[in-house]
Amino acid sequence: MLKVPPHQVAGHEAVDGKLGPLVDESGRFYKPLQDDERGSNEVAFYRSLSTNSGIPEHIRRFFPTFYGTQLIEASDGSGLKPHLVLKDIARGQVNPSIMDVKIGSRTWAPEASQEYVEKCLKKDRESSSLPLGFRISGLQIFRSKELGFWKPGKKAAQKFSTEEVKLVLRRFVSSNTLNDLDLEPDCALASTVYGGSAGILSQLLELKAWFEDQTIYHFYACSILVVFEKELALEGRNPGAQIKLIDFAHVYEGRGVIDHNFLGGLCSLIKFISEILTAPNEGKTEVSAKDDQKNLTNTDNGVVADQENLIKSGNGIVADQKNLTSTDNDVS
Ligand SMILES: O=P(O)(O)O[C@@H]1[C@@H](OP(=O)(O)O)[C@H](OP(=O)(O)O)[C@H](O)[C@H](OP(=O)(O)O)[C@H]1OP(=O)(O)O
Ligand SMILES: Nc1ncnc2c1ncn2[C@@H]1O[C@H](COP(=O)(O)OP(=O)(O)O)[C@@H](O)[C@H]1O
């Protein structure tokens, strides 16, 4: 029996008669192929990954297991449609805290149409993508059995300012994420989830080491999904903290060139997570606690002043990105 994924935090959703992913009881995640080149591109990427002997085993574990494609009834009622069949990352988790972090200050590939570039550029400018090199595309943080999850809408998440992103990275590993958003995150779970030899930071560093070398692929608009089971962490047990790379609709051949866009965003994410580990109590952000509450609960209304400033200061970066586009074209 196929159903809507209970723990999806971003992307297209199979709700209100729309096309989106489905999951089954056996732990498989079915992602519908988009009709245009994005669908074929993502399948081609997974096939290439499966057969490319140049990908080290310890790096393969950062990608969802791929079981091929399958025709299944689409969630929008349009009949049988081809879907990617992947391992369901959230399978077996009871109340997973999940964060989808879209990596890279630029989310379109050199091949993209002008219209698509403009659409992406607007999202990049209005999010933390330009200033930080990544943005939170969506998230859920488990609070308690009674309160369920704190799950700001994906539009709200994407509009988090730089300071809000820093706050959310701390809130993600805090025990006091209840209703009261005035509370300063205690980062009580930082060392268990972000730290340690098997923790999130260690995994991100392993991924970074590969990105410093690999020139096979360029990953545009790809996300790192960060997942852990908070209740286990609170009990002092192994919370199964893991990262997985997802969303490969815009992956292209690297042609011997380092993926600077992804690497830059990854380094930036690593820096913020490292800072939380080294100084968990020094994270008081410039946003006042009151503003936190307003910005984090008031979701889609208006762009805060901070973000307007970022848009202005982003212009230099935009110019850089245009230059990068032509450089990429030169290379290819
Ligand atoms: O359809 P939208 O407006 O929700 O945009 C999708 C994005 O959702 P968002 O609204 O930014 O959360 C979505 O972003 P997330 O995966 O949610 O971060 C993708 O960028 C998607 O593009 P593509 O399928 O990768 O080419 C985007 O799809 P397209 O609009 O490009 O088809
Ligand atoms: N293999 C997977 N297992 C479990 N959840 C997944 C998996 N892949 C994606 N998701 C969930 O679906 C969301 C959207 O996935 P994504 O591949 O980015 O789709 P889209 O192309 O629609 O943006 C992610 O944020 C995550 O919550």
Side-chain angles (χ1 to χ4, degrees), residues 114-128:
Q114 194 54 35
E115 191 191 354
Y116 193 75
V117 169
E118 276 162 25
K119 182 183 153 181
C120 293
L121 191 49
K122 184 169 185 297
K123 287 187 194 176
D124 298 347
R125 284 169 151 183
E126 290 175 357
S127 68
S128 64

Side-chain angles (χ1 to χ4, degrees), residues 11-12 34 38 102 116 119 123 137 155 158 250:
H12 303 100
Q34 285 168 293
R38 287 175 292 184
K102 193 180 285 259
Y116 193 75
K119 182 183 153 181
K123 287 187 194 176
S137 279
K155 292 293 169 212
Q158 289 169 21
H250 306 277

Side-chain angles (χ1 to χ4, degrees), residues 21-35:
L22 297 166
V23 288
D24 70 12
E25 292 302 323
S26 77
R28 297 200 170 188
F29 184 94
Y30 299 85
K31 178 175 173 177
L33 295 185
Q34 285 168 293
D35 289 332

Side-chain angles (χ1 to χ4, degrees), residues 228-283:
F228 76 99
E229 191 82 71
K230 186 168 172 182
E231 283 164 303
L232 293 179
L234 287 169
E235 289 165 12
R237 294 162 63 197
N238 180 352
Q242 58 168 324
I243 60 165
K244 287 277 188 228
L245 286 162
I246 56 160
D247 202 357
F248 309 109
H250 306 277
V251 176
Y252 291 84
E253 285 180 17
R255 301 184 188 191
V257 178
I258 291 285
D259 188 352
H260 302 285
N261 181 56
F262 190 97
L263 183 57
L266 181 57
C267 288
S268 173
L269 178 62
I270 286 172
K271 173 186 171 280
F272 289 116
I273 288 183
S274 304
E275 280 174 2
I276 293 169
L277 281 167
T278 47
N281 300 318
E282 287 173 21

Side-chain angles (χ1 to χ4, degrees), residues 9-10 99-100 126-128 134-140 150-161 164-165 168 295-296 298-300 307:
V9 297
M99 187 163 49
D100 178 319
E126 290 175 357
S127 68
S128 64
F134 66 88
R135 68 170 173 258
I136 297 175
S137 279
L139 81 157
Q140 64 177 32
W150 180 63
K151 188 171 184 177
K154 61 178 191 172
K155 292 293 169 212
Q158 289 169 21
K159 285 185 177 167
F160 286 157
S161 65
E164 287 166 343
V165 166
V168 168
N295 293 334
L296 292 174
N298 171 14
T299 56
D300 297 66
Q307 287 166 331

